[in-house]
Amino acid sequence: MPCLCITTNLNLDGVDTNPVFSEATTAVSTIIGKPEKFVMVILKSSVPISFGGNKEPAAYAEIVSMGGLNSEVKRKLIATIGTILQSKLCIPRTRFFLKVFDTTAFSTKSKM
């Protein structure tokens, strides 16, 4: 089950964030190859973020998934989510950072 958590310094009170949730869910589902019903998207706003020494609109996101996160998938996620944030929230792609975490990368096999 992939989980995308997006944090931004923008105040989103009164902003229709439904398109962000919808497009991010579809993008993660399509790129990782998991059904949309298993994709979780979290959007946190009004978080103090300084990027490049200033507080202009910026976003930090983390995606956690069990498998399916190779280098090509990571590049597609960064580009697609960056584009969504730019078009829906006016956050420049150059002020967006995505951390990718694959939980299967640390699994250990039992030696029993």
Side-chain angles (χ1 to χ4, degrees), residues 52-66:
N54 64 61
K55 296 188 179 185
E56 293 174 14
Y60 169 79
E62 294 181 348
I63 187 158
V64 179
S65 182
M66 293 174 60

Side-chain angles (χ1 to χ4, degrees), residues 77-111:
L77 286 168
I78 291 166
T80 305
I81 295 167
T83 299
I84 292 167
L85 294 177
Q86 185 170 17
S87 68
K88 302 300 176 198
L89 300 177
C90 298
I91 298 171
R93 289 176 57 171
T94 56
R95 295 187 54 82
F96 166 65
F97 183 84
L98 178 66
K99 177 181 176 182
V100 180
F101 185 73
D102 186 340
T103 60
T104 59
F106 299 102
S107 64
T108 58
K109 294 183 179 180
S110 174
K111 297 186 182 195

Side-chain angles (χ1 to χ4, degrees), residues 27-41:
V28 169
S29 171
T30 302
I31 294 169
I32 294 179
K34 305 282 185 181
E36 284 190 24
K37 67 181 182 178
F38 294 123
V39 176
M40 178 185 292
V41 177

